[in-house]
Amino acid sequence: FLAEVGLIENAAQTCSSIVGQSFFLEGNYATREEVKVLGVISGIKKASVCELPKVGSPICTSAVLSSRFDTDEYIICTMSCVTSCEETKLFEAEINLFIQEKR
């Protein structure tokens, strides 16, 4: 079975890919190359592991942005996420992320 920490990491990666994509796009939606981004889980709230998936089972994680604060240097956000395997809910949580471009 995939460990609980694997479900948390999967959810965090899903959340960071949603919010972090803004670092890789210019205002005209042109792609910025060679960008390096640092993302850190700054908090996990309301986490619930309902069931663990068997290794090799396909999982699907979705996330919704609850709040976001942008500065010129970093983004702080809260996202609600749910991971499931077919019809079975595996994990849900609110995750706070700190994302910063490395310069």
Side-chain angles (χ1 to χ4, degrees):
F1 291 92
L2 178 64
E4 292 88 345
V5 70
L7 290 171
I8 294 169
E9 181 63 24
N10 172 266
Q13 291 293 334
T14 298
C15 293
S16 67
S17 68
I18 292 169
V19 176
Q21 67 184 322
S22 60
F23 288 102
F24 297 93
L25 298 174
E26 297 288 345
N28 61 0
Y29 297 103
T31 304
R32 294 176 57 207
E33 301 293 329
E34 312 265 340
V35 176
K36 296 186 188 304
V37 177
L38 170 68
V40 178
I41 298 171
S42 60
I44 300 174
K45 299 185 279 188
K46 301 180 187 174
S48 176
V49 176
C50 306
E51 194 172 318
L52 298 175
K54 290 183 179 178
V55 172
S57 297
I59 61 174
C60 179
T61 301
S62 59
V64 176
L65 184 64
S66 302
S67 67
R68 177 174 169 155
F69 177 76
D70 292 55
T71 72
D72 292 337
E73 302 295 320
Y74 58 85
I75 296 172
I76 297 173
C77 65
T78 300
M79 300 194 75
S80 297
C81 51
V82 176
T83 302
S84 58
C85 179
E86 297 177 2
E87 300 296 318
T88 304
K89 183 189 300 184
L90 304 173
F91 175 78
E92 66 181 327
E94 283 186 17
I95 297 178
N96 295 336
L97 296 172
F98 173 88
I99 302 173
Q100 180 178 38
E101 182 175 353
K102 293 176 69 177
R103 297 178 192 218

